[in-house]
């Protein structure tokens, strides 16, 4: 019997003394790869967040929000200014403005001053929250939506500064479903604890598709405004809908904050489809978590993600879990969906974009 002496391509490479190039990262690469969490909330004047970020190889983009469960906006701003000054290369932040008095005389000037104060201290973006469309009313008592032309001077000002807008509009689609029809436990917990935002219980309020249509009209109306659709643009339930949104609006990107479990539901149904989505839209996706470091409060309602008594461990656990899912093929149990989720094993080049270079480019970060 003749034994073949032909070498396989792998054997030839090994014989030549060169190892084959790895196409994906491993869990061991986690701390070695540059990463940026483009959606967190640092609401506590403490070193914990920056310390765990340094240890795990992350930069942070902390987002100030006009949210009643968070510290008052001046307090959020003061913390952001201090943390950015302490470590400007690692800690970035987005400013915001209050909706109080919207429609009244002087509101536009007041909001502009709030934004400009943030810019003066280093803000790289401006955030608008779901209260626009779901909660906020003008001085005449009328509900305010994002496509209201009274926002136009603010948006023109932001665009002229060359700064992106981060917009959390509406909620996950689960918000309009009964608890037993929701796809993830984290949504069940959040909306059980925040009934004012649980739209299934408020059929008199605007519906999901109405709010999505408002957001789309806004993005179309401001085609030169760099737009970040926070939380997968509230289209987290369908990668097809996210793809359609991104195809329709070239000025838009989306972040993954607090929506990984909804993605995992879909990848468990069709792994190849979700993986292909991440690869196709690799230039339009930014990693984010919604990790929230707020002052301890035993009476505080559930956050999304939920908080524990050990924030550093919570952040490290979440970051490592997401890395395992996005960067490796390894499976892991996901409590929010009561199932194991095999990893997507995205190529290194895709991981580098989603975790770092897309956010650095979009928010014009330097250094």
């Amino acid at each position: 019997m003749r034994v073949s002496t032909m070498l396989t391509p792998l054997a030839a490479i090994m014989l030549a003394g060169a190892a084959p190039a790895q196409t994906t990262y491993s869990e061991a690469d986690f701390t070695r790869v540059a990463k940026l969490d483009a959606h967190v909330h640092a609401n506590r004047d403490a070193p914990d967040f920056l310390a765990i970020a340094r240890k795990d190889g992350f930069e942070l983009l902390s987002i100030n929000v006009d949210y009643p469960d968070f510290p008052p906006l001046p307090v959020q701003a003061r913390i952001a200014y201090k943390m950015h000054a302490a470590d400007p290369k690692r800690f970035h932040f987005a400013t915001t403005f209050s909706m109080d008095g919207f429609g009244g005389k002087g509101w536009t000037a007041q909001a502009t001053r709030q934004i400009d104060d943030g810019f003066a201290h280093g803000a790289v973006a401006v955030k608008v929250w779901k209260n626009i469309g779901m909660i906020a009313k003008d001085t005449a008592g009328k509900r305010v939506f994002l496509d209201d032309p009274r926002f136009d001077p603010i948006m023109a000002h932001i665009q002229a500064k060359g700064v992106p807008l981060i917009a959390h509009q509406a909620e996950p689609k689960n918000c309009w479903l009964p608890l037993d029809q929701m796809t993830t436990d984290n949504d069940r917990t959040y909306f059980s604890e925040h009934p004012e935002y649980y739209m299934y219980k408020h059929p008199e309020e605007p519906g999901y598709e109405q709010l999505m249509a408002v957001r789309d009209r806004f993005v179309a109306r401001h085609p030169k405004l760099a737009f970040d659709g926070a939380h997968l643009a509230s289209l987290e339930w369908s990668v097809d809908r996210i793809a359609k949104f991104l195809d329709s609006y070239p000025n838009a990107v989306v972040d993954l904050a607090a929506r990984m479990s909804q993605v995992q539901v879909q990848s468990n149904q069709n792994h190849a489809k979700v993986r292909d989505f991440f690869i196709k839209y690799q230039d339009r996706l930014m990693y984010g978590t919604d990790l929230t470091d707020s002052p301890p409060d035993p009476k505080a309602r559930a956050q999304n993600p939920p908080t524990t008594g050990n924030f550093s461990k919570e952040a490290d656990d979440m970051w490592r879990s997401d890395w395992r899912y996005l960067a490796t093929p390894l499976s892991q149990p996901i409590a929010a969906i009561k199932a194991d989720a095999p990893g997507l094993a995205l190529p290194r080049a895709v991981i580098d974009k989603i975790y770092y270079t897309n956010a650095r480019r979009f928010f014009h970060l330097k250094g």
Side-chain angles (χ1 to χ4, degrees):
M1 181 176 66
R2 178 181 297 175
V3 178
S4 174
T5 58
M6 183 175 295
L7 296 175
T8 65
L10 176 60
I13 292 172
M14 297 300 288
L15 189 63
Q22 264 188 282
T23 59
T24 60
Y25 288 119
S26 69
E27 284 190 298
D29 292 314
F30 171 71
T31 58
R32 296 196 288 262
V33 176
K35 302 176 295 297
L36 196 159
D37 189 331
H39 192 135
V40 303
H41 304 286
N43 295 333
R44 194 164 61 96
D45 185 2
D48 308 53
F49 214 151
L50 273 170
I52 189 61
R54 291 189 192 102
K55 182 179 178 182
D56 284 355
F58 271 96
E59 294 177 33
L60 303 173
L61 175 59
S62 184
I63 301 174
N64 290 355
V65 185
D66 188 18
Y67 178 24
D69 281 6
F70 281 2
L73 287 181
V75 175
Q76 291 183 51
R78 185 165 63 250
I79 292 169
Y81 299 168
K82 182 177 179 179
M83 294 181 76
H84 175 67
D87 195 342
K89 291 186 177 181
R90 189 172 301 275
F91 187 92
H92 318 285
F93 73 96
T95 188
T96 191
F97 52 87
S98 173
M99 285 297 293
D100 291 346
F102 181 83
K105 184 178 179 180
W107 180 86
T108 299
Q110 170 189 302
T112 302
R113 283 194 298 272
Q114 289 177 304
I115 291 170
D116 284 345
D117 186 62
F119 292 161
H121 286 85
V124 297
V126 177
K127 171 69 178 279
V128 292
W129 193 53
K130 66 188 179 187
N131 57 339
I132 301 173
M134 298 184 73
I135 303 279
K137 296 181 180 180
D138 64 15
T139 51
K142 183 180 178 182
R143 178 64 54 81
V144 179
F145 295 92
L146 191 59
D147 62 347
D148 190 311
R150 289 175 288 184
F151 284 115
D152 286 355
I154 296 292
M155 301 307 156
H157 183 67
I158 296 170
Q159 181 181 314
K161 294 287 187 179
V163 173
L165 181 76
I166 304 170
H168 176 174
Q169 286 290 279
E171 285 283 51
K173 194 176 182 181
N174 280 337
C175 179
W176 282 265
L177 299 175
L179 290 174
D180 62 359
Q181 292 182 28
M182 291 186 182
T183 55
T184 65
D185 275 356
N186 52 321
D187 282 341
R188 290 187 189 93
T189 300
Y190 181 84
F191 292 116
S192 295
E193 295 287 339
H194 295 79
E196 71 271 36
Y197 305 134
Y198 184 17
M199 291 300 102
Y200 175 73
K201 290 189 172 184
H202 301 282
E204 74 283 359
E205 295 290 344
Y208 173 78
E209 293 296 349
Q210 179 183 349
L211 292 171
M212 293 295 91
V214 167
R215 188 272 317 285
D216 289 353
R217 286 197 298 270
F218 172 86
V219 180
R221 183 168 168 171
H222 301 278
K224 295 183 179 180
L225 177 66
F227 182 89
D228 173 10
H231 309 294
L232 288 174
S234 293
L235 300 168
E236 71 297 317
W237 59 279
S238 170
V239 294
D240 291 332
R241 281 289 296 269
I242 304 169
K244 182 179 179 182
F245 173 75
L246 293 174
D247 289 344
S248 298
Y249 306 107
N251 59 318
V253 300
V254 297
D255 73 43
L256 291 156
R259 299 297 182 264
M260 199 70 78
S261 57
Q262 286 93 339
V263 174
Q264 289 162 335
V265 167
Q266 294 173 77
S267 66
N268 276 3
Q269 296 168 345
N270 192 332
H271 189 272
K273 178 180 181 178
V274 172
R275 187 174 189 274
D276 288 346
F277 164 80
F278 274 86
I279 292 173
K280 181 176 180 180
Y281 294 96
Q282 60 186 271
D283 296 313
R284 313 284 295 280
L285 307 173
M286 298 188 299
Y287 179 72
T289 57
D290 211 15
L291 280 164
T292 301
D293 185 17
S294 283
D297 181 357
K299 298 180 181 179
R301 298 181 299 174
Q303 296 294 322
N304 192 0
T307 55
T308 68
N310 186 340
F311 177 79
S312 294
K313 184 178 186 304
E314 176 188 353
D316 181 69
D317 287 350
M318 177 170 289
W319 283 336
R320 289 178 183 274
S321 174
D322 290 346
W323 178 265
R324 183 181 176 104
Y325 173 66
L326 294 171
T328 85
L330 302 174
S331 186
Q332 62 183 310
I334 302 297
I337 64 175
K338 295 185 174 73
D340 286 356
L344 297 179
L346 296 172
R348 286 186 173 203
V350 176
I351 289 292
D352 290 344
K353 289 179 180 180
I354 292 172
Y355 265 93
Y356 195 67
T357 57
N358 288 348
R360 297 279 306 182
R361 181 189 68 250
F362 185 76
F363 293 110
H364 308 294
L365 303 181
K366 301 175 181 178

